[in-house]
């Protein structure tokens, strides 16, 4: 039982929307709990806030997690160690399939590229490492306190991206010369479509590869203008030259 929570309007809306997104988080055990919690919160909201939540959810596309599913108890145990500055032990499977036992000083949890990672100082190897949570099992809080070491670079997400070689995502924005109603079914949940006029719309796609946005625009079959990024223009030029050479 939780004590009464005093939330202002914006906090209540943010809480409801956040729990709705948690139903697609890729955390095992969290989806059903989020649905139950969301139901209770929405029922308690006054009608004016319920309308805001429903409108926001209706106009928002959340892509479901496509990465490995992580047990909720694993995530919460690690988060607790990060918060309390307690050393953590766990079993870990390396990329080559070797089973190891690790003891670390946990720093931060990072969600990146459809996966969860733990950034920690490995006490066995005496170095900073990133650990994939889907390869981690039986996390155990040791109760041994430690003082946080400075993370190289200071940015946990950037550290994971470099150490795990996670490619940075591109945000491709184009102005499509076609109605939003025609474009939206063609890109589905993988793009955000915003009407600009009766015959034009702004399409935003986030992808670690520029190939998929290129294919999606080809499938739409309409003229378009690239708003950004510059890398996408170069990518289109490369594809275009190869297609023209093949046609010629």
């Amino acid at each position: 039982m939780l004590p009464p929570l005093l939330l202002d309007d914006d906090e209540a809306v943010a809480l409801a929307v956040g729990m709705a997104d948690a139903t697609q988080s890729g955390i095992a055990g969290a989806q059903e709990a989020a649905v139950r919690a969301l139901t209770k919160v929405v029922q308690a909201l006054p009608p004016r806030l319920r309308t805001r939540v429903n409108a926001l959810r209706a106009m928002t596309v959340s892509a479901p997690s496509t990465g490995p599913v992580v047990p909720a108890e694993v995530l919460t145990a690690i988060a607790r160690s990060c918060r309390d500055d307690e050393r953590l032990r766990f079993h870990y499977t390396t990329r080559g399939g070797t089973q190891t036992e690790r003891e670390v000083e946990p720093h931060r949890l990072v969600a990146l590229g459809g996966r969860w990672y733990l950034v920690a100082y490995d006490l066995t190897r005496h170095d900073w490492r990133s650990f994939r949570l889907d390869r981690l099992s039986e996390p155990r809080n040791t109760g041994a306190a430690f003082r946080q070491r400075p993370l190289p670079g200071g940015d946990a997400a950037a550290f994971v991206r470099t150490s795990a070689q996670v490619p940075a995502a591109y945000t491709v924005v184009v102005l499509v010369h076609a109605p939003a109603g025609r474009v939206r079914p063609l890109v589905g949940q993988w793009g955000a479509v915003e009407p600009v006029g009766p015959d034009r719309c702004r399409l935003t796609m986030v992808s670690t590869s520029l190939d998929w946005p290129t294919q999606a625009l080809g499938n739409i079959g309409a003229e378009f203008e690239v708003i950004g990024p510059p890398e996408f223009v170069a990518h289109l030029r490369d594809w275009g030259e190869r297609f023209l050479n093949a046609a010629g």
Side-chain angles (χ1 to χ4, degrees), residues 35-178:
V35 170
R36 295 196 303 270
L38 177 63
T39 301
K40 294 176 183 178
V41 169
V42 170
Q43 287 176 343
L45 292 177
R48 57 188 175 81
L49 294 187
R50 199 176 306 162
T51 301
R52 284 179 58 185
V53 170
N54 291 337
L56 185 56
R57 290 300 303 165
M59 299 307 296
T60 303
V61 175
S62 297
S65 173
T66 57
V69 174
V70 176
E73 60 270 19
V74 169
L75 195 69
T76 53
I78 296 173
R80 189 163 57 248
S81 288
C82 292
R83 180 198 64 190
D84 297 339
D85 292 342
E86 287 186 6
R87 289 182 177 179
L88 183 73
R89 289 195 185 102
F90 52 83
H91 296 300
Y92 192 71
T93 304
T94 65
R95 186 178 300 177
T98 304
Q99 300 286 332
T100 62
E101 177 83 7
R102 303 294 181 95
E103 183 171 352
V104 303
E105 295 176 350
H107 180 68
R108 290 289 185 276
L109 284 167
V110 176
L112 193 64
R115 292 188 174 97
W116 283 93
Y117 296 86
L118 166 65
V119 176
Y121 187 83
D122 191 330
L123 294 169
T124 304
R125 290 158 175 77
H126 303 289
D127 196 8
W128 284 94
R129 298 293 177 99
S130 65
F131 300 94
R132 277 177 46 174
L133 263 59
D134 58 298
R135 294 179 180 167
L136 186 156
S137 62
E138 300 182 35
R140 304 176 303 282
N141 305 99
T142 67
F146 68 93
R147 179 176 295 179
Q148 285 281 353
R149 307 169 191 256
L151 175 68
D155 187 332
F159 180 85
V160 171
R161 185 175 287 113
T162 300
S163 61
Q165 298 180 339
V166 179
Y170 296 96
T171 300
V172 174
V173 184
V174 296
L175 181 65
V176 182
H177 297 195

Side-chain angles (χ1 to χ4, degrees), residues 216-228:
L217 288 166
N219 291 337
I220 293 173
E223 297 291 326
F224 61 90
E225 304 168 36
V226 178
I227 299 175

Side-chain angles (χ1 to χ4, degrees), residues 187-222:
V187 298
Q189 63 182 3
W190 307 112
V193 180
E194 176 187 356
V196 174
D199 298 316
R200 293 189 178 189
C201 63
R202 181 181 291 103
L203 171 61
T204 303
M205 296 171 282
V206 179
S207 175
T208 56
S209 169
L210 293 175
D211 289 340
W212 187 87
T214 305
Q215 296 170 15
L217 288 166
N219 291 337
I220 293 173

